[in-house]
Amino acid sequence: MTVEAPSRPALAERQARVAVAVLFFTNGALFANLLPRYPQIKADLGLSNSLYGLAVAAFPAGAIAAGLAAGVAIRRLGSARAAVLGTLLTGAGILAAGLADSVVLFAGALFLAGAMDAVTDVAQNAHGLRVQRRYGRSIINSFHAVWSIGAVAGGSMAAAAIALGLSRGQHLTISAVVFAVAACIALRYCLSGPETETGPGTETGPGAETANAPVPASESASVPDIGGRVEGAGGPGTRGRRTVYVLAALVLIATAGTLVEDAGSSWATLYLSGSLHASVTLAAFGYIALVGAQFIGRVIGDRLVDRFGQRTVARAGGLITAAGMGLALAVPSVPGTVLGFAAAGLGVATLVPAAMHEADELPGLKPGSGLAIVSWLMRLGFLASPPIVGLVTDATSLRVGLLVAPLAGLLAFLLAGVLRNRHH
């Protein structure tokens, strides 16, 4: 007997969506509370530029070191508990970094915070994708939009604390406690049950019938190829090679998104103020335009994905990024460059969520493994981006170094065929 699924998600699914949004918000806000404190920490510890650079690199180093453990944490604790535990320990690490009285303690605390942030990142995405499957439509991009709001809120919270004269200890203790409480409350409303809800009766929300139905062998072993077609099962060796190939493509798609983000956060202000001689205030609008457009892209991204499919949206985004930044660099001007960074932010808005979504559903992998691998390797690319752009800039110019952005858009366009044009 077939029961028609209700058009609106059940209360449990709606509550879980809000709970995951809270986890994304806290994740964005926690580290953003520490960033405005960096100059003061550098001065108090008497760090040189090189030593400071090495110390703050401990955060991404910790994320890389612990990234692959996220899948194990999800399988043992469940994605919701792993995300919340990671949030609590991230807050503790950030507080310890703020209170550190030596560079060794500062770097060690950042390493812990980065490691736990990596676990939280994978786990909250895994749980968000569980909720998305219950909804029967794309909602993952909205969670990443909420993360952006959290980052802005965290930075604003830090600015307010500095303006009020709060010490780092007072400020970061308040931040850690507030977001720890928020995460623990959110945990109560997350989905219960196993991560792979394929047994009878394990799904209760919209799409339950299709989620609980047995998957034919030909479908469970299928993976899209570069042209977007879904290939058949083949032998075990063929399936294994295809899975590795698709994972590699997904890593490159996600890395393309982070490369563009880094171009905006690390180089936009410097390019506008230095190469194009914009005022300090106006130069800040390069990064603001990128993150603002990225937020808008994520807000509308789910609707676009539901209507046109993940692959089509990613290809269009890659073209927008390549054309927007390519034109801005070809004909340099301050307004054109700001618009170019806005186009880039809009274009890459859905790339990381799309890659994580596809990785989470690759056949033949344990729950959380695909997400953990893509997230880990994406962070490696993100860590390598600034020095690579810096080396190119030193050898040529920053304008040439920023070609990484349109090239990343082109890469996403070429590899988007591994994404499936489906709604969930």
Side-chain angles (χ1 to χ4, degrees), residues 256 260 289-290 293-294 296-298 300-301 304 308 311-329 336-351 402-414 416:
V260 174
L290 185 141
Q294 185 182 57
I296 294 171
R298 286 173 170 173
I300 65 174
L304 294 176
F308 301 107
R311 186 194 324 140
T312 301
V313 173
R315 280 179 171 162
L319 284 178
I320 291 171
T321 301
M325 276 304 296
L327 184 61
L329 293 172
T337 299
V338 171
L339 290 175
F341 276 110
L346 182 67
V348 303
T350 67
L351 293 186
L402 283 174
L403 284 173
V404 67
L407 289 175
L410 183 60
L411 181 67
F413 172 79
L414 294 174

Side-chain angles (χ1 to χ4, degrees), residues 56 133 149 260 286 366 417:
V56 298
R133 286 190 285 273
I149 297 173
V260 174
K366 295 178 180 179

Side-chain angles (χ1 to χ4, degrees), residues 66-218:
L68 291 179
V72 177
I74 290 171
R75 291 191 292 274
R76 291 187 177 181
L77 301 174
S79 55
R81 290 190 182 91
V84 172
L85 179 60
T87 298
L88 300 182
L89 293 176
T90 299
I94 288 172
L95 174 59
L99 296 175
D101 57 3
S102 72
V103 65
V104 173
L105 291 177
F106 177 56
L110 285 180
F111 186 91
L112 169 64
M116 293 302 100
D117 178 75
V119 173
T120 301
D121 183 37
V122 176
Q124 68 188 9
N125 274 284
H127 205 77
L129 289 167
R130 279 189 66 192
V131 177
Q132 176 170 282
R133 286 190 285 273
R134 294 281 191 100
Y135 263 65
R137 58 184 172 86
S138 179
I139 59 172
I140 190 67
N141 290 289
S142 66
F143 294 136
H144 286 259
V146 171
W147 186 94
S148 299
I149 297 173
V152 173
S156 301
M157 183 176 172
I162 294 171
L164 291 172
L166 296 181
S167 68
R168 290 199 300 273
Q170 292 171 326
H171 160 215
L172 295 174
T173 296
I174 292 171
S175 171
V177 170
V178 167
F179 296 121
V181 170
C184 290
I185 293 175
L187 179 61
R188 295 185 55 193
Y189 298 97
C190 289
L191 298 177
S192 59
E195 293 301 305
T196 51
E197 301 170 295
T198 56
T202 55
E203 287 279 20
T204 58
E209 292 75 20
T210 56
N212 293 329
V215 180
S218 61

Side-chain angles (χ1 to χ4, degrees), residues 8 12 21 36 44 50 55 66 84 144 213 231 251 257 283-284 312 318 370 404 408:
R8 191 179 184 211
D44 288 350
S50 58
V84 172
H144 286 259
E231 298 291 340
V251 168
T312 301
V404 67

